Short mmCIF file of all heavy atoms in Angstrom, two decimals:
data_model
loop_
_atom_site.label_atom_id
_atom_site.label_comp_id
_atom_site.label_asym_id
_atom_site.label_seq_id
_atom_site.Cartn_x
_atom_site.Cartn_y
_atom_site.Cartn_z
N ALA K 130 30.32 -66.59 -79.33
CA ALA K 130 31.03 -65.34 -79.72
C ALA K 130 30.83 -65.00 -81.10
O ALA K 130 30.88 -65.81 -81.92
CB ALA K 130 32.49 -65.11 -79.31
N LEU K 131 30.43 -63.65 -81.41
CA LEU K 131 30.23 -63.32 -82.82
C LEU K 131 31.71 -63.28 -83.65
O LEU K 131 31.66 -63.51 -84.84
CB LEU K 131 29.55 -62.07 -83.02
CG LEU K 131 28.20 -61.95 -82.33
CD1 LEU K 131 27.50 -60.63 -82.51
CD2 LEU K 131 27.27 -63.11 -83.03
N VAL K 132 32.71 -62.84 -82.84
CA VAL K 132 34.01 -62.75 -83.47
C VAL K 132 34.83 -63.79 -82.83
O VAL K 132 34.84 -64.05 -81.63
CB VAL K 132 34.63 -61.42 -83.08
CG1 VAL K 132 35.98 -61.31 -83.68
CG2 VAL K 132 33.74 -60.27 -83.57
N PRO K 133 35.51 -64.64 -83.53
CA PRO K 133 36.33 -65.60 -83.00
C PRO K 133 37.44 -65.02 -81.99
O PRO K 133 38.04 -64.08 -82.16
CB PRO K 133 37.07 -66.18 -84.37
CG PRO K 133 36.20 -65.86 -85.40
CD PRO K 133 35.58 -64.51 -85.10
N GLY K 134 37.49 -65.73 -81.10
CA GLY K 134 38.38 -65.31 -79.96
C GLY K 134 39.89 -65.76 -80.16
O GLY K 134 40.12 -66.70 -80.95
N VAL K 135 40.69 -65.00 -79.46
CA VAL K 135 42.04 -65.42 -79.64
C VAL K 135 42.54 -66.00 -78.12
O VAL K 135 42.32 -65.66 -77.17
CB VAL K 135 42.92 -64.07 -79.83
CG1 VAL K 135 44.40 -64.53 -79.93
CG2 VAL K 135 42.52 -63.43 -81.05
N VAL K 136 43.08 -67.29 -78.35
CA VAL K 136 43.59 -67.98 -77.21
C VAL K 136 45.00 -67.56 -76.99
O VAL K 136 45.87 -67.75 -77.75
CB VAL K 136 43.41 -69.50 -77.47
CG1 VAL K 136 43.92 -70.28 -76.20
CG2 VAL K 136 42.02 -69.89 -77.73
N VAL K 137 45.25 -67.11 -75.79
CA VAL K 137 46.51 -66.66 -75.36
C VAL K 137 47.06 -67.77 -74.37
O VAL K 137 46.24 -68.01 -73.28
CB VAL K 137 46.51 -65.26 -74.60
CG1 VAL K 137 47.94 -65.02 -74.22
CG2 VAL K 137 45.90 -64.40 -75.65
N LYS K 138 48.05 -68.43 -74.57
CA LYS K 138 48.73 -69.25 -73.70
C LYS K 138 49.68 -68.67 -72.85
O LYS K 138 50.58 -67.81 -73.20
CB LYS K 138 49.44 -70.33 -74.55
CG LYS K 138 48.59 -71.31 -75.29
CD LYS K 138 49.32 -72.37 -76.06
CE LYS K 138 48.28 -73.14 -76.83
NZ LYS K 138 49.23 -74.26 -77.54
N GLY K 139 49.54 -68.79 -71.62
CA GLY K 139 50.33 -68.31 -70.59
C GLY K 139 49.97 -68.51 -69.25
O GLY K 139 48.84 -69.08 -68.92
N GLU K 140 50.66 -68.36 -68.14
CA GLU K 140 50.46 -68.69 -66.88
C GLU K 140 49.52 -67.58 -66.16
O GLU K 140 48.89 -67.91 -65.24
CB GLU K 140 51.76 -68.73 -65.96
CG GLU K 140 52.66 -69.82 -66.52
CD GLU K 140 53.88 -69.97 -65.69
OE1 GLU K 140 54.09 -69.08 -64.90
OE2 GLU K 140 54.68 -71.00 -65.89
N LYS K 141 49.60 -66.35 -66.70
CA LYS K 141 48.87 -65.19 -66.14
C LYS K 141 47.41 -64.93 -66.92
O LYS K 141 47.52 -65.22 -68.14
CB LYS K 141 49.59 -63.95 -66.02
CG LYS K 141 50.83 -64.05 -65.17
CD LYS K 141 51.61 -62.61 -65.17
CE LYS K 141 52.77 -62.78 -64.24
NZ LYS K 141 53.46 -61.51 -64.12
N ILE K 142 46.49 -64.60 -66.27
CA ILE K 142 45.20 -64.31 -66.88
C ILE K 142 45.10 -62.85 -66.89
O ILE K 142 45.20 -62.04 -65.79
CB ILE K 142 43.94 -64.93 -66.01
CG1 ILE K 142 44.19 -66.31 -65.97
CG2 ILE K 142 42.67 -64.51 -66.75
CD1 ILE K 142 43.10 -67.13 -65.16
N LEU K 143 44.85 -62.34 -68.14
CA LEU K 143 44.77 -60.80 -68.34
C LEU K 143 43.23 -60.37 -67.86
O LEU K 143 42.41 -60.90 -68.56
CB LEU K 143 45.09 -60.48 -69.69
CG LEU K 143 46.59 -60.89 -70.27
CD1 LEU K 143 46.54 -60.46 -71.80
CD2 LEU K 143 47.50 -60.21 -69.36
N LEU K 144 43.27 -59.56 -66.96
CA LEU K 144 41.93 -59.02 -66.57
C LEU K 144 41.90 -57.41 -66.64
O LEU K 144 42.93 -56.78 -66.48
CB LEU K 144 41.63 -59.32 -65.08
CG LEU K 144 41.50 -60.83 -64.80
CD1 LEU K 144 41.30 -61.10 -63.35
CD2 LEU K 144 40.42 -61.44 -65.55
N ASP K 145 40.74 -56.87 -66.92
CA ASP K 145 40.63 -55.49 -66.95
C ASP K 145 40.42 -54.92 -65.55
O ASP K 145 39.32 -55.12 -64.95
CB ASP K 145 39.50 -55.07 -67.89
CG ASP K 145 39.45 -53.50 -68.09
OD1 ASP K 145 40.31 -52.78 -67.54
OD2 ASP K 145 38.54 -53.10 -68.75
N PRO K 146 41.48 -54.21 -65.00
CA PRO K 146 41.12 -53.85 -63.47
C PRO K 146 40.15 -52.67 -63.29
O PRO K 146 39.61 -52.49 -62.31
CB PRO K 146 42.49 -53.39 -63.15
CG PRO K 146 43.18 -52.97 -64.38
CD PRO K 146 42.63 -53.92 -65.41
N LYS K 147 39.81 -52.06 -64.46
CA LYS K 147 38.80 -50.97 -64.44
C LYS K 147 37.35 -51.49 -64.53
O LYS K 147 36.47 -50.76 -64.06
CB LYS K 147 39.02 -49.99 -65.54
CG LYS K 147 40.32 -49.28 -65.60
CD LYS K 147 40.50 -48.29 -66.68
CE LYS K 147 41.80 -47.60 -66.63
NZ LYS K 147 41.90 -46.65 -67.85
N LYS K 148 37.18 -52.78 -64.82
CA LYS K 148 35.93 -53.24 -65.00
C LYS K 148 35.51 -53.96 -63.75
O LYS K 148 36.28 -54.67 -63.18
CB LYS K 148 35.79 -54.33 -66.17
CG LYS K 148 34.44 -54.89 -66.41
CD LYS K 148 34.47 -55.91 -67.56
CE LYS K 148 32.99 -56.42 -67.99
NZ LYS K 148 33.09 -57.33 -68.97
N GLN K 149 34.26 -53.56 -63.11
CA GLN K 149 33.85 -54.20 -61.96
C GLN K 149 33.27 -55.58 -62.08
O GLN K 149 32.70 -55.92 -63.04
CB GLN K 149 32.71 -53.25 -61.42
CG GLN K 149 33.14 -51.84 -60.95
CD GLN K 149 31.98 -51.00 -60.40
OE1 GLN K 149 30.74 -51.50 -60.36
NE2 GLN K 149 32.33 -49.78 -59.97
N PHE K 150 33.69 -56.28 -61.01
CA PHE K 150 33.14 -57.67 -60.96
C PHE K 150 31.55 -57.68 -60.52
O PHE K 150 31.19 -56.86 -59.87
CB PHE K 150 33.98 -58.51 -60.00
CG PHE K 150 35.42 -58.70 -60.45
CD1 PHE K 150 36.41 -57.84 -59.96
CD2 PHE K 150 35.76 -59.69 -61.46
CE1 PHE K 150 37.75 -58.04 -60.44
CE2 PHE K 150 37.07 -59.79 -61.95
CZ PHE K 150 38.16 -58.90 -61.38
N LEU K 151 30.97 -58.75 -60.84
CA LEU K 151 29.55 -58.90 -60.49
C LEU K 151 29.53 -59.60 -59.11
O LEU K 151 29.80 -60.77 -58.92
CB LEU K 151 28.78 -59.72 -61.48
CG LEU K 151 28.60 -59.16 -62.86
CD1 LEU K 151 27.95 -60.17 -63.68
CD2 LEU K 151 27.82 -57.94 -62.72
N CYS K 152 29.53 -58.73 -58.11
CA CYS K 152 29.60 -59.23 -56.65
C CYS K 152 28.66 -58.40 -55.85
O CYS K 152 28.03 -57.56 -56.36
CB CYS K 152 31.05 -59.16 -56.14
SG CYS K 152 31.71 -57.55 -56.07
N ARG K 153 28.64 -58.68 -54.57
CA ARG K 153 27.67 -57.99 -53.58
C ARG K 153 28.13 -56.58 -53.45
O ARG K 153 27.17 -55.66 -53.46
CB ARG K 153 27.71 -58.78 -52.28
CG ARG K 153 26.80 -57.97 -51.31
CD ARG K 153 26.70 -58.81 -50.06
NE ARG K 153 28.09 -58.82 -49.41
CZ ARG K 153 28.34 -59.49 -48.27
NH1 ARG K 153 27.34 -60.16 -47.64
NH2 ARG K 153 29.55 -59.31 -47.82
N GLU K 154 29.44 -56.31 -53.42
CA GLU K 154 29.85 -54.94 -53.34
C GLU K 154 29.57 -54.09 -54.47
O GLU K 154 29.25 -52.79 -54.41
CB GLU K 154 31.35 -54.94 -52.96
CG GLU K 154 31.76 -55.44 -51.56
CD GLU K 154 31.63 -56.85 -51.50
OE1 GLU K 154 31.48 -57.55 -52.57
OE2 GLU K 154 31.69 -57.33 -50.31
N SER K 155 29.63 -54.59 -55.73
CA SER K 155 29.51 -53.85 -56.99
C SER K 155 27.99 -53.54 -57.25
O SER K 155 27.61 -52.61 -57.80
CB SER K 155 30.09 -54.61 -58.13
OG SER K 155 29.46 -55.83 -58.28
N LEU K 156 27.06 -54.58 -56.82
CA LEU K 156 25.75 -54.32 -56.91
C LEU K 156 24.95 -53.66 -55.83
O LEU K 156 23.78 -53.35 -55.93
CB LEU K 156 24.96 -55.83 -57.01
CG LEU K 156 25.45 -56.57 -58.39
CD1 LEU K 156 24.78 -57.91 -58.34
CD2 LEU K 156 25.13 -55.84 -59.53
N ASN K 157 25.70 -53.37 -54.68
CA ASN K 157 25.04 -52.62 -53.61
C ASN K 157 24.84 -51.25 -54.01
O ASN K 157 25.54 -50.50 -54.51
CB ASN K 157 26.15 -52.62 -52.47
CG ASN K 157 25.49 -52.13 -51.13
OD1 ASN K 157 24.35 -52.04 -51.06
ND2 ASN K 157 26.26 -51.62 -50.23
N GLY K 158 23.61 -50.84 -53.67
CA GLY K 158 23.00 -49.52 -53.95
C GLY K 158 22.56 -49.14 -55.31
O GLY K 158 22.10 -48.17 -55.85
#
């Protein structure tokens, strides 16, 4: 990474729900 990342300690993983995952459904069409 060009910018040092910030490590967040916690039980939950923060994900962007608006960003599509790389899967068969997202790549279809």
